[in-house]
Amino acid sequence: SLYADFAYLQMPYLPLLYATIYKLTGTSHYLLWGRLFSFGFMAVASLLVYFISRKISGSRLVASCMVVIFGFNGVLIRTVGYSWNSVMPIPLALGGFYLFILGMSERAGPSGAGGEGRQVKPGFILFGGLLVSLAIGTKLLYAVMAPAFLVTALLCLRSLPFRRRVVATVVPLLLGMLVGLFPVMIYLFRDVDGFMFNNLQYHRLNAVWYQLQGVTDTMSIGSKVYYISGLLAEPSNVALSVCAVFLTLAVMRTLGAGRPSTTLRAGGPAVLLSGLLVLFSAALLFMITPLADQYVAIPILFGLLFVVCLYAGIPEEGTPYARLVLVAAALATVFFTGPRLFKYQDRVCDVRSWT
């Protein structure tokens, strides 16, 4: 048993994937395969960042800038440098977000009158929920995505009657999540006590152990705020924060001038969903003890999506300035983070350092 025999202290999907790969290949280079998969996960995640940004912004330049900002973010780089369960959920979460917003994009139906002819794409929403549940089944912290998706499904697409909205969005979303979490439920009901201890109770005991050892860093609310502010002060996160502040002010100026953005309204599901994901994942940081980089990487990931959604809310005459800010942020991120990556290039060519 994964929990009784190995005392695996996380959700089950990553070791199940690795066990399948090791069995099929017969390899003894476990760490090498794990790191190759981490690299593959991030390659897929980068493609998804591009597709999501291109879909929301309508600009290849903006999409390319977001890929650069994503790929050279210092916190994300430190998170993906290991063969652990903090990497695999990233492309799964992005894929779920992408499919969900595709499914929530209304299109004209047969009747086309009174909102009755407005249709969504339940199949995309179902598979979006499936990918979200796979992310949760890999790392439990991604469970914050579930309420964000459900709230978005309920509050958006107001042109549809409430009952039809629930049937078209909430039902396929929940169905996809249930299918994706079915193996987790098997582990849960097979050994409820063992599953709960390894995924929840152990981590509470671990926090108590840190406190008994006199560790104070990232334990209290104040120390967590200090730790998070230190990460946000890194150049790559400063660049992202500048983009977020600039675009937020630009959208607020547009709304304050009585010129609500039709683009922002059209992208309502993506705007609401990305904002809720940032809010919920940021709040989660203050419930985790002790705090670490891989946890802060989650709201940073969702913050990238929110920045793209803010860009979509800027009027056409303001987009050249917004693009200039994004390009400058991408260049600054590469300038400050890139050199630290290039110094490890010799290890890539050294086969002995792979495992």
Side-chain angles (χ1 to χ4, degrees):
S1 171
L2 181 63
Y3 295 109
D5 298 331
F6 295 95
Y8 185 68
L9 302 172
Q10 299 288 343
M11 297 290 274
Y13 286 171
L14 184 65
L16 291 178
L17 173 65
Y18 281 165
T20 302
I21 297 301
Y22 296 157
K23 184 176 181 179
L24 291 175
T25 61
T27 184
S28 59
H29 296 283
Y30 303 128
L31 181 58
L32 173 61
W33 275 94
R35 289 188 170 180
L36 287 174
F37 266 86
S38 293
F39 176 80
F41 291 144
M42 286 307 293
V44 173
S46 298
L47 288 174
L48 287 169
V49 168
Y50 180 87
F51 291 140
I52 292 170
S53 303
R54 181 76 173 86
K55 165 69 176 175
I56 296 175
S57 69
S59 168
R60 292 187 178 90
L61 177 61
V62 171
S64 300
C65 289
M66 297 312 300
V67 171
V68 171
I69 294 173
F70 168 78
F72 284 85
N73 182 274
V75 176
L76 288 171
I77 288 174
R78 292 194 295 275
T79 298
V80 304
Y82 302 91
S83 302
W84 59 356
N85 68 333
S86 292
V87 187
M88 180 175 164
I90 294 177
L92 292 173
L94 291 172
F97 182 93
Y98 185 47
L99 291 177
F100 183 79
I101 62 173
L102 287 178
M104 294 288 285
S105 301
E106 293 180 283
R107 57 186 171 87
S111 63
E116 293 297 326
R118 304 301 293 175
Q119 297 180 359
V120 294
K121 309 177 188 68
F124 283 93
I125 297 175
L126 186 148
F127 283 104
L130 175 64
L131 291 182
V132 168
S133 66
L134 293 179
I136 297 171
T138 305
K139 193 172 185 66
L140 187 58
L141 295 180
Y142 281 82
V144 296
M145 297 185 70
F149 275 67
L150 287 171
V151 170
T152 304
L154 283 172
L155 296 184
C156 291
L157 306 183
R158 302 302 293 270
S159 62
L160 293 174
F162 180 77
R163 183 176 179 179
R164 186 174 177 184
R165 195 188 322 155
V166 170
V167 172
T169 61
V170 177
V171 171
L173 177 65
L174 290 176
L175 181 60
M177 289 183 177
L178 287 175
V179 171
L181 289 175
F182 184 73
V184 173
M185 290 187 284
I186 293 177
Y187 276 99
L188 172 63
F189 292 117
R190 182 184 297 170
D191 182 7
V192 175
D193 293 336
F195 183 91
M196 297 301 292
F197 176 81
N198 283 274
N199 284 284
L200 293 174
Q201 296 171 6
Y202 166 81
H203 299 284
R204 296 196 190 102
L205 294 174
N206 189 46
V208 173
W209 180 85
Y210 272 99
Q211 292 173 342
L212 293 176
Q213 296 300 312
V215 176
T216 57
D217 293 343
T218 71
M219 300 292 285
S220 65
I221 297 295
S223 63
K224 290 178 181 178
V225 171
Y226 180 79
Y227 181 80
I228 294 171
S229 62
L231 294 181
L232 293 179
E234 294 181 3
S236 57
N237 290 319
V238 170
L240 181 61
S241 300
V242 168
C243 293
V245 171
F246 175 84
L247 295 174
T248 299
L249 292 176
V251 171
M252 291 177 63
R253 182 175 181 273
T254 301
L255 298 176
R259 297 160 50 204
S261 171
T262 56
T263 307
L264 186 62
R265 287 200 300 267
V271 176
L272 178 60
L273 179 57
S274 60
L276 289 175
L277 289 173
V278 173
L279 179 64
F280 291 168
S281 59
L284 183 65
L285 296 181
F286 295 95
M287 305 178 190
I288 301 172
T289 302
L291 197 58
D293 285 17
Q294 66 267 26
Y295 307 132
V296 183
I298 300 175
I300 289 177
L301 172 67
F302 297 141
L304 285 163
L305 303 178
F306 188 59
V307 165
V308 179
C309 293
L310 289 174
Y311 173 88
I314 297 178
E316 186 176 352
E317 63 269 20
T319 54
Y321 303 102
R323 290 178 184 177
L324 183 62
V325 171
L326 290 173
V327 170
L331 293 175
T333 301
V334 173
F335 178 80
F336 286 103
T337 307
R340 285 185 289 178
L341 294 177
F342 298 145
K343 70 179 181 180
Y344 297 111
Q345 59 185 345
D346 292 340
R347 296 188 184 181
V348 177
C349 302
D350 185 3
V351 179
R352 293 171 298 178
S353 67
W354 289 2
T355 59

